[in-house]
Amino acid sequence: MNDNTTEIFKKIYEEQSVPIFRFCLVRVSNREQALDITQETFLRFWQSLQEHKKILNNKAFLFTIAHHLIIDWYRKKKSVSLDKMVNDESEPYDPLDEKTIDNIGFGAEGRYLIGKINELSETFREVVYLRFIENLTPQEIASILNMSANVVSVRINRGLEELRQKTGYNDNDLNK
């Protein structure tokens, strides 16, 4: 094991573990599952470092891994839920844990905006979250979601318009 690789991993883990966990938590609404996905994300990142894969942007690479793991989790969950429906069993909904949200740095306004972002249409929800909560650039988001940066920018702007409508905020109110 290369000490340089270990140091790189430690540094990136310290910088990105909380944002990756937060991203997972908001997407899956289950603290334990978010921790599992975060752990798997960093395990795959570690494996990529060990295999000496060329990684151009560590942050975008981590969010891409997490994004794909979340998609896989939902696919698996959906098939399990369908099986349970056939067997006439119900699966309880696991809402966000308020203590968990408070522990990751959201104030009342932040929780309100996260809730409103989650109400956005699917087209805009993820790009707005990644841009304004995780502070990723449109280019990084484009890399994560496999889109062009131009499409991401358009979706961010349209998502902000939808968010303004949902929150009751209007730019014209500033001009009065």
Side-chain angles (χ1 to χ4, degrees), residues 23-116:
F23 174 71
C24 295
L25 180 62
V26 169
R27 292 284 142 248
V28 301
S29 300
N30 177 306
R31 186 177 188 284
E32 295 305 315
Q33 189 60 47
L35 286 170
D36 288 346
I37 293 171
T38 301
Q39 181 178 6
E40 181 66 22
T41 298
F42 280 96
L43 175 64
R44 291 185 184 191
F45 178 67
W46 173 255
Q47 290 169 340
S48 295
L49 289 175
Q50 291 298 305
E51 294 168 5
H52 303 290
K53 290 186 178 177
K54 185 175 181 179
I55 302 171
L56 299 176
N57 183 327
N58 293 321
K59 188 175 184 179
F61 184 72
L62 286 166
F63 274 96
T64 301
I65 294 170
H67 173 75
H68 289 290
L69 288 170
I70 290 166
I71 289 170
D72 291 345
W73 179 76
Y74 271 108
R75 285 180 183 151
K76 182 180 174 186
K77 183 177 177 182
K78 186 176 183 180
S79 67
V80 170
S81 295
L82 290 174
D83 289 342
K84 284 186 178 188
M85 283 176 60
V86 169
N87 294 330
D88 200 29
E89 295 178 21
S90 62
E91 182 176 307
Y93 173 69
D94 187 12
L96 285 174
D97 180 354
E98 288 295 321
K99 286 192 324 190
T100 301
I101 290 174
D102 287 339
N103 288 341
I104 59 176
F106 295 142
E109 298 87 5
R111 285 192 305 274
Y112 172 76
L113 284 174
I114 293 276
K116 291 299 180 186

Side-chain angles (χ1 to χ4, degrees), residues 19 22 59 63 127-138 140-141:
R22 189 172 48 228
K59 188 175 184 179
F63 274 96
V127 293
V128 169
Y129 175 85
L130 288 170
R131 177 69 185 112
F132 296 104
I133 304 301
E134 298 304 335
N135 203 27
L136 296 175
T137 66
E140 290 173 322
I141 297 168

Side-chain angles (χ1 to χ4, degrees), residues 121-166:
S121 62
E122 192 173 327
T123 304
F124 308 128
R125 182 180 319 131
E126 196 157 26
V127 293
V128 169
Y129 175 85
L130 288 170
R131 177 69 185 112
F132 296 104
I133 304 301
E134 298 304 335
N135 203 27
L136 296 175
T137 66
Q139 292 78 16
E140 290 173 322
I141 297 168
S143 173
I144 292 166
L145 301 178
N146 199 24
M147 309 176 172
S148 73
N150 189 39
V151 169
V152 168
S153 293
V154 169
R155 287 186 180 184
I156 288 169
N157 287 328
R158 290 182 182 165
L160 284 177
E161 288 176 27
E162 189 177 315
L163 187 61
R164 284 184 186 109
Q165 291 172 354
K166 291 190 177 299

